Amino acid sequence: MKAITVVPGKANSTSLEDFAAPTPDEGSVLVDTIAVGICGTDLEIAGGEYGWAPLGHERLVLGHESIGRVREAPAGSGFAEGDYVVGIVRRPDPVPCYNCAVGEWDFCRNGQYTEHGIKSLDGFMRQQYRAEPDALVKVDSALGELGVLLEPTSVVAKAWEQAERVANRATWHPKVAVVTGAGPIGLLAALIGVQKGLAVHVFDQMTDGLKPDLVREIGATYHTGPIEQSVTDPDIIIECTGVASLVFDAIEHIGSGGVVCLTGVSSIGRELSIDAGMVNRSMVLANEGIVGSVNANRRHYEDAATALATANVEWLSKLVTRKVPIDDFAQAFERQPDDVKVVIQISAE
Ligand code: BGC
């Protein structure tokens, strides 16, 4: 079967190859992959900057944002042939640490967790994979192939949960949220904010194209300038760019008692001059919370499934701006200005 693989640490080593079919020891449920989304992490892995091959292997099958259909599932597994499913990206460490032991692998303490398509576990850019039922999440058939958005939505569902948990240390009646970045993560974060009944303001650089429309269509407000020019004292900021200057901008402009949740993985090695004393002083004097958030556990996938099931399917479908057939996979790794979510079509639905 076909698979897209990479040699982690080696730039431009992605290739389409003939890969062994999954064996029953990989899991009792056999899944036909339909499509796999590409995100910044995949681009970093393809660029040789991130990623680990499975132990004893040189190559890693890429892909962690997937949608597929069950081909074969044992009776009593909770899955049946034809179900739309998404594979959970992170698997608990083998020790397991106390978080992994209770299913909170997104908070793994010892770093020995694995991640499909990223860290020591083959990913979903292959025509079939196998998984145990507890590593799969069912997706509403009304969403179908758009279930490919479930994994990125799980990441922002966790971000919202984390921010709310910090904010709830005191009485909290949030009204205004800011989201920085109108890529897939920012747009999905905005969607959840709107579903929560907040006035959501999304900040991005693009002055035209699809992004401003996508933001307005869910009832959020789109801005291109600095935060302070348009929004004062937001209750919550979900930072989705990882751009260091924007991260500190967010920290500087959060309202008193508010929370900034950081979700962007920044590139490293660039220096920024900041008044650290001022940052500390305002954080302390205004009870500001800053929380980092990565990955997602099953609860967040379930929250994400609810968010997607409640969203407008037409809007969700507009987020997928390019579908690239598996044989032309290299095109999916070339960013184009109008891209929101690019997916590789592994097989027909
Ligand atoms: C994935 C997460 C993963 C993180 C770090 C992100 O792109 O969505 O599931 O934990 O990368 O590897």
Side-chain angles (χ1 to χ4, degrees):
M1 70 173 180
K2 292 177 185 175
I4 299 165
T5 69
V6 68
V7 179
K10 190 170 169 197
N12 307 316
S13 59
T14 48
S15 76
L16 182 64
E17 59 176 278
D18 192 25
F19 197 77
T23 51
D25 60 300
E26 291 172 58
S28 59
V29 184
L30 177 65
V31 181
D32 291 330
T33 314
I34 301 171
V36 178
I38 304 259
C39 78
T41 303
D42 298 299
L43 299 180
E44 275 197 13
I45 300 173
E49 295 161 49
Y50 194 60
W52 297 260
L55 200 65
H57 291 241
E58 194 201 8
R59 306 192 73 91
L60 167 77
V61 176
L62 273 166
H64 60 278
E65 300 182 0
S66 71
I67 180 69
R69 281 189 104 160
V70 172
R71 170 161 296 263
E72 230 176 74
S77 63
F79 292 94
E81 188 183 343
D83 283 347
Y84 284 95
V85 286
V86 167
I88 294 180
V89 174
R90 192 178 286 195
R91 305 313 305 141
D93 78 72
V95 175
C97 73
Y98 56 76
N99 282 335
C100 284
V102 296
E104 295 201 331
W105 51 74
D106 56 319
F107 271 90
C108 179
R109 306 279 303 187
N110 62 22
Q112 292 181 47
Y113 64 84
T114 51
E115 288 181 340
H116 284 288
I118 302 174
K119 186 170 182 278
S120 314
L121 266 188
D122 281 324
F124 305 116
M125 285 188 193
R126 45 180 160 154
Q127 289 175 303
Q128 287 190 324
Y129 70 92
R130 277 184 174 275
E132 292 302 351
D134 68 352
L136 293 170
V137 181
K138 220 183 276 188
V139 173
D140 196 330
S141 59
L143 275 178
E145 207 174 314
L146 288 173
V148 75
L149 298 171
L150 188 71
E151 196 277 341
T153 311
S154 72
V155 166
V156 290
K158 173 178 171 181
W160 272 101
E161 180 201 73
Q162 296 301 303
E164 285 172 341
R165 284 187 175 193
V166 176
N168 280 318
R169 62 208 154 135
T171 309
W172 199 53
H173 298 294
K175 290 192 173 54
V176 178
V178 161
V179 172
T180 47
I185 290 288
L187 289 165
L188 292 166
L191 172 73
I192 294 182
V194 170
Q195 288 180 343
K196 286 178 185 290
L198 299 183
V200 178
H201 298 265
V202 180
F203 289 77
D204 195 278
Q205 294 173 318
M206 300 290 280
T207 49
D208 52 15
L210 189 58
K211 288 177 178 180
D213 288 342
L214 286 170
V215 167
R216 285 180 206 120
E217 282 171 25
I218 49 169
T221 314
Y222 189 85
H223 307 272
T224 48
I227 297 176
E228 72 274 20
Q229 219 168 62
S230 319
V231 183
T232 336
D233 297 336
D235 301 292
I236 187 160
I237 301 183
I238 309 277
E239 207 297 309
C240 302
T241 69
V243 175
S245 58
L246 299 182
V247 168
F248 281 96
D249 231 31
I251 293 171
E252 199 179 327
H253 293 103
I254 188 69
S256 176
V259 182
V260 179
C261 183
L262 307 176
T263 68
V265 182
S266 312
S267 43
I268 48 179
R270 277 180 219 146
E271 287 187 12
L272 181 72
S273 159
I274 52 155
D275 182 342
M278 176 62 88
V279 172
N280 178 70
R281 187 186 164 96
S282 58
M283 277 187 67
V284 170
L285 292 177
N287 287 298
E288 290 163 7
I290 301 176
V291 59
S293 181
V294 71
N295 194 251
N297 65 40
R298 178 170 283 277
R299 182 175 72 246
H300 307 119
Y301 278 82
E302 282 161 6
D303 290 348
T306 307
L308 292 185
T310 327
N312 178 308
V313 174
E314 203 189 318
W315 184 81
L316 292 175
S317 67
K318 288 189 201 166
L319 299 189
V320 179
T321 44
R322 266 199 303 143
K323 288 186 188 174
V324 178
I326 187 168
D327 292 326
D328 302 327
F329 78 95
Q331 289 172 15
F333 287 86
E334 288 158 18
R335 264 198 218 259
Q336 291 181 10
D338 288 332
D339 284 344
V340 178
K341 176 56 70 187
V342 177
V343 306
I344 299 184
Q345 196 80 40
I346 307 288
S347 66
E349 197 175 348

